[in-house]
Amino acid sequence: MDNVTSTENVKFEIKSVQENILLDIIKDICNDTKSKLSSKLIGKVNRIIADCDLTHHTSLHKLTTADESSSTILGFMHQTATELSFEEQTELNTEIVNKIQNKIPTFTSELENLKQIMGAGKKSRKEQIKELQSSLDEKLNILKEQENEKVELMMEWLNHRVQDVSSFGTNTSEMLTLKTRILELKSNSISNALGIEWAPLNVPTSRRLETLAAAAWICLVLFGEAACILLFVQLVYSSYWYLVLLYGIWMLNDLEICNKGGRTIEWFRSCAWWVYYRDYFPIKLVKTTDLDPSRNYLFACFPHGVVCSGAFGAFATNALEFYKVFPGMTCNMITLGGHFRVPFFRDLVLALGCCASSQESLLYLLDKKNYKGKCVALIVGGAAEALDSHPGEYKVILSRRKGFIRIAMKSGAPLVPVFSFGETDVFRPLDNPQDSLLRKFQEKVRQLTGISPMFPIGRGVFQYSFGVLPLRSPITTVVGKPMEIVKNLDPTDEEVDDIHKEFIRRLIELFETEKSKYLKNHEKVNLVIT
């Protein structure tokens, strides 16, 4: 039975191939530019072929005449809307015969190949089925093995997850670590979206305290006076007005203390606040030579920077252990006299050992009759120099500043050049060229108030992109070698100029000698004196 079925299938396949060949010949004749058929006949044949394509012309057993009594090559033409006349069929048959005669060699070879294929198909039909069955069985076995492996991996993964969940249930620290990591990922996505670099969540407590100390300090510098004045006014109109009255009377009698050596409170200078403040940047104090504790010295400090971060830590607090770096010495920092006129705020400044920047105050501190082993730290450039503070630049105002030279000559105290490397890198002020509107506004306010209206741009408490907190950038305050000054109570301008020139030379020498130790791109950094 299988042989009969196989033979019928082969016959059908051969017939289908023959019919397809005949149809291809008719298409070739119609598409051949050298064909002898008329254009009218070619058009009819093409339309009939199109109709056959739409009705699956592969069943060319329908290619019969209209009465289906005799088979012709294009007998199916009578089943279409368009029919060929007898003359047209004769003309087309003639062309087909000629075309077939030209292709007989090709047809012969193709038929031989077809017979070989069919013969091989007759002989190996059952074998092909068996091979197909075995191939399918083999593939099914492979799929089963892969599925088993996937199930095993899934079970192993689930076991690990169960163990993790159980461990989190007994170890809350691991759960907190996971939550912290998730929050970090969320903060990173916010950072990418807003362009903000957020501070990490898992920061050690010491670093958080350092940031808090720096934040409290900058708030004290920027807003301390305004807050103290507001507090004073609030208390005046409160039920504690009598206390404010007593404080006001005492303050009026105490105004001159800033010119008489101040009122230092050592425990306040040594409190932990300033230790964390020091470590925030960090700030270092370096000496190049020892100082004689039996003499007094005038420290001429540069640069001012935005808010004197380095000089403040080194000379207004004990965080850098000035008394150990220079045994037997004490230090007072000089600031504007106006700070000592603000209620409450003046007491904080005095507690840090600060004194007024008047000639009376400086001469009192440097007088050997009053003190020995006293170092007076003066920021020579002052508020005007703060306007030129920009990262990577060191521009100091010194050419027209000669008052400190006269103070040193009148007191006979040696002049000591002091330079804070990295001071200008802790803030990123707005660009303010000399002729800009911003610079003109700043200069005008400074002339009226003595304070430069800076716009310090640093970082925030919880992010690093913007804010008023200083940046974490190291500051190294280097104390140079003393410059001996002969006491002269009434120096001439020429004598002052000579000392001034020598001091500039020593300051430049200190900068050039030490900058390679504390600045990264020291080759490109120069000291500009204006």
Side-chain angles (χ1 to χ4, degrees):
M1 186 67 183
D2 291 338
N3 291 333
V4 174
T5 304
S6 176
T7 303
E8 290 177 354
N9 291 336
V10 170
K11 288 180 180 180
F12 177 76
E13 291 175 0
I14 293 173
K15 185 176 181 180
S16 297
V17 171
Q18 291 173 348
E19 291 174 349
N20 289 333
I21 292 173
L22 290 175
L23 188 58
D24 291 338
I25 291 173
I26 295 172
K27 290 181 179 180
D28 290 342
I29 292 172
C30 293
N31 295 329
D32 190 358
T33 57
K34 297 180 180 181
S35 175
K36 296 180 181 180
L37 297 178
S38 64
S39 58
K40 181 179 178 181
L41 178 56
I42 291 174
K44 285 185 176 182
V45 174
N46 283 334
R47 286 192 292 273
I48 293 171
I49 292 173
D51 292 339
C52 292
D53 288 338
L54 292 173
T55 57
H56 285 272
H57 61 264
T58 53
S59 299
L60 282 181
H61 59 278
K62 293 182 180 180
L63 300 185
T64 60
T65 58
D67 57 3
E68 298 183 357
S69 59
S70 61
S71 296
T72 62
I73 296 175
L74 286 180
F76 73 97
M77 299 294 185
H78 294 284
Q79 296 184 6
T80 62
T82 304
E83 298 181 356
L84 298 180
S85 65
F86 179 80
E87 290 79 7
E88 289 173 339
Q89 288 188 16
T90 303
E91 183 181 355
L92 179 59
N93 289 341
T94 302
E95 286 295 324
I96 291 172
V97 171
N98 293 333
K99 195 75 172 179
I100 291 174
Q101 288 177 350
N102 294 332
K103 289 192 174 184
I104 284 176
T106 304
F107 291 158
T108 303
S109 61
E110 291 180 356
L111 287 173
E112 290 295 331
N113 293 334
L114 185 60
K115 287 180 181 180
Q116 293 177 2
I117 294 172
M118 293 300 104
K122 289 179 183 179
K123 183 176 59 177
S124 60
R125 183 72 63 177
K126 292 182 179 180
E127 295 177 359
Q128 288 178 354
I129 293 174
K130 291 181 180 179
E131 291 176 358
L132 180 60
Q133 185 66 39
S134 62
S135 177
L136 290 173
D137 293 338
E138 185 179 35
K139 290 181 178 179
L140 286 173
N141 292 331
I142 293 173
L143 290 174
K144 288 180 180 179
E145 293 176 358
Q146 291 178 350
E147 289 299 323
N148 291 334
E149 291 177 359
K150 291 180 180 178
V151 171
E152 291 176 359
L153 290 173
M154 183 60 70
M155 291 301 297
E156 183 178 359
W157 181 84
L158 288 173
N159 290 333
H160 283 301
R161 296 287 73 81
V162 170
Q163 293 175 3
D164 291 342
V165 171
S166 61
S167 65
F168 281 135
T170 56
N171 192 345
T172 56
S173 63
E174 293 184 7
M175 180 64 76
L176 290 175
T177 302
L178 179 60
K179 290 182 178 179
T180 302
R181 180 57 181 163
I182 293 172
L183 291 175
E184 285 182 0
L185 293 175
K186 290 182 178 179
S187 66
N188 289 335
S189 63
I190 297 174
S191 173
N192 295 332
L194 302 179
I196 299 175
E197 183 182 0
W198 297 95
L201 296 175
N202 56 343
V203 176
T205 304
S206 59
R207 286 182 65 87
R208 293 187 183 278
L209 292 174
E210 291 167 8
T211 303
L212 179 62
W217 168 76
I218 195 63
C219 288
L220 179 66
V221 173
L222 297 179
F223 315 114
E225 290 185 333
C228 289
I229 293 174
L230 180 62
L231 176 61
F232 185 82
V233 173
Q234 290 284 345
L235 291 174
V236 168
Y237 292 96
S238 70
S239 58
Y240 300 99
W241 62 268
Y242 58 93
L243 295 179
V244 176
L245 179 62
L246 293 176
Y247 175 84
I249 295 172
W250 172 80
M251 188 183 78
L252 291 175
N253 292 325
D254 192 55
L255 286 178
E256 288 301 312
I257 190 65
C258 61
N259 295 319
K260 303 297 182 181
R263 184 170 52 246
T264 304
I265 301 177
E266 291 298 331
W267 70 262
F268 186 64
R269 284 173 56 103
S270 304
C271 69
W273 179 3
W274 309 122
V275 175
Y276 287 116
Y277 167 82
R278 173 201 66 193
D279 294 338
Y280 174 83
F281 295 94
I283 304 173
K284 295 181 180 179
L285 178 62
V286 177
K287 69 175 181 180
T288 58
T289 187
D290 292 326
L291 300 180
D292 186 357
S294 64
R295 306 182 65 183
N296 299 327
Y297 296 87
L298 178 58
F299 284 7
C301 304
F302 301 89
H304 182 282
V306 175
V307 285
C308 306
S309 307
F312 176 85
F315 306 126
T317 74
N318 292 333
L320 277 76
E321 299 181 331
F322 178 88
Y323 55 90
K324 290 184 179 180
V325 177
F326 298 101
M329 308 295 295
T330 59
C331 186
N332 291 84
M333 191 171 181
I334 303 302
T335 186
L336 293 175
H339 295 320
F340 302 96
R341 301 292 187 266
V342 180
F344 306 135
F345 186 80
R346 66 188 298 274
D347 300 299
L348 293 174
V349 178
L350 286 170
L352 291 170
C354 297
C355 294
S357 57
S358 63
Q359 177 175 279
E360 178 186 2
S361 173
L362 291 170
L363 291 176
Y364 185 92
L365 291 169
L366 294 172
D367 192 348
K368 291 184 179 180
K369 297 179 181 179
N370 299 321
Y371 300 100
K372 287 186 178 179
K374 177 68 69 176
C375 296
V376 181
L378 174 66
I379 312 298
V380 176
E385 192 175 274
L387 300 178
D388 292 319
S389 179
H390 297 282
E393 300 178 6
Y394 291 90
K395 187 176 182 180
V396 301
I397 297 177
L398 182 57
S399 298
R400 60 181 183 272
R401 298 296 172 94
K402 300 179 181 180
F404 73 103
I405 300 293
R406 293 182 180 275
I407 295 296
M409 295 181 72
K410 289 182 178 181
S411 63
L415 267 175
V416 181
V418 178
F419 205 94
S420 294
F421 294 93
E423 179 67 49
T424 59
D425 296 329
V426 297
F427 285 104
R428 299 166 293 182
L430 298 176
D431 191 25
N432 57 344
Q434 286 292 336
D435 297 329
S436 64
L437 293 176
L438 176 60
R439 184 59 174 263
K440 292 178 180 179
F441 169 76
Q442 291 173 326
E443 291 287 359
K444 189 66 176 178
V445 174
R446 184 185 63 82
Q447 292 173 3
L448 295 175
T449 64
I451 300 174
S452 296
M454 296 297 297
F455 302 96
I457 302 175
R459 52 157 291 188
V461 177
F462 303 109
Q463 44 78 27
Y464 301 132
S465 301
F466 59 88
V468 296
L469 265 70
L471 304 175
R472 282 185 181 265
S473 182
I475 303 174
T476 305
T477 301
V478 181
V479 179
K481 297 179 180 179
M483 174 182 172
E484 294 296 333
I485 302 294
V486 178
K487 188 173 183 178
N488 186 347
L489 295 179
D490 189 19
T492 63
D493 292 341
E494 291 77 11
E495 292 172 336
V496 171
D497 290 340
D498 291 340
I499 300 297
H500 187 259
K501 291 178 182 178
E502 177 62 18
F503 178 81
I504 291 177
R505 186 191 69 80
R506 292 189 177 222
L507 179 65
I508 295 174
E509 180 182 1
L510 174 65
F511 179 83
E512 295 297 331
T513 302
E514 302 293 330
K515 71 176 183 179
S516 61
K517 302 176 184 177
Y518 310 112
L519 299 180
K520 293 181 179 179
N521 300 322
H522 60 89
E523 303 90 349
K524 301 179 181 179
V525 180
N526 296 311
L527 179 62
V528 179
I529 297 178
T530 59

